[in-house]
């Protein structure tokens, strides 16, 4: 969303510690409530608390943007990802 890593100011080992032991990053308040909820659920560290694929496919954020064509963006990514 911001184009920046949430850990960009940390050195490698500090970054690893933050990822493993810290709280997951959150989206900024400018992001929609649906986007913030979707990302927070995706980043649940305990897989027993993280919903499955069927839940995510029916999440309001995905439903709202299901017609979005990511092909142009994906093809511009280094390595040329394809849909």
């Amino acid at each position: 969303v911001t184009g920046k890593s949430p850990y960009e100011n940390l050195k490698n080992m500090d970054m690893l510690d933050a990822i493993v032991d810290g709280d997951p990053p959150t989206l900024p308040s400018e992001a929609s409530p649906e986007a913030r909820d979707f990302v927070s659920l995706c980043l649940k560290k305990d897989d027993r608390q993280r919903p499955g694929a069927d839940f995510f496919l029916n999440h309001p954020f995905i439903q709202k943007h299901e017609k979005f064509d990511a092909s142009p963006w994906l093809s511009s990514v280094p390595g040329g990802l394809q849909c």
Side-chain angles (χ1 to χ4, degrees):
V1 171
T2 64
K4 297 180 180 182
S5 167
Y7 306 108
E8 70 180 354
N9 296 325
L10 300 177
K11 295 184 181 187
N12 289 344
M13 291 309 294
D14 294 332
M15 183 184 311
L16 184 58
D17 286 340
I19 292 169
V20 173
D21 297 325
D23 291 332
T26 58
L27 291 181
S29 60
E30 301 85 49
S32 70
E34 295 91 356
R36 290 194 315 270
D37 183 59
F38 184 83
V39 169
S40 73
L41 291 170
C42 288
L43 296 180
K44 293 275 185 195
K45 291 184 180 187
D46 183 345
D47 64 339
R48 295 169 295 184
Q49 294 179 355
R50 191 179 325 118
D54 289 337
F55 177 88
F56 283 118
L57 289 172
N58 292 300
H59 190 278
F61 179 71
I62 296 299
Q63 295 298 310
K64 184 176 179 179
H65 300 288
E66 71 179 333
K67 302 280 187 217
F68 178 75
D69 181 11
S71 300
W73 179 83
L74 289 172
S75 63
S76 73
V77 172
L81 298 173
Q82 300 294 317
C83 289

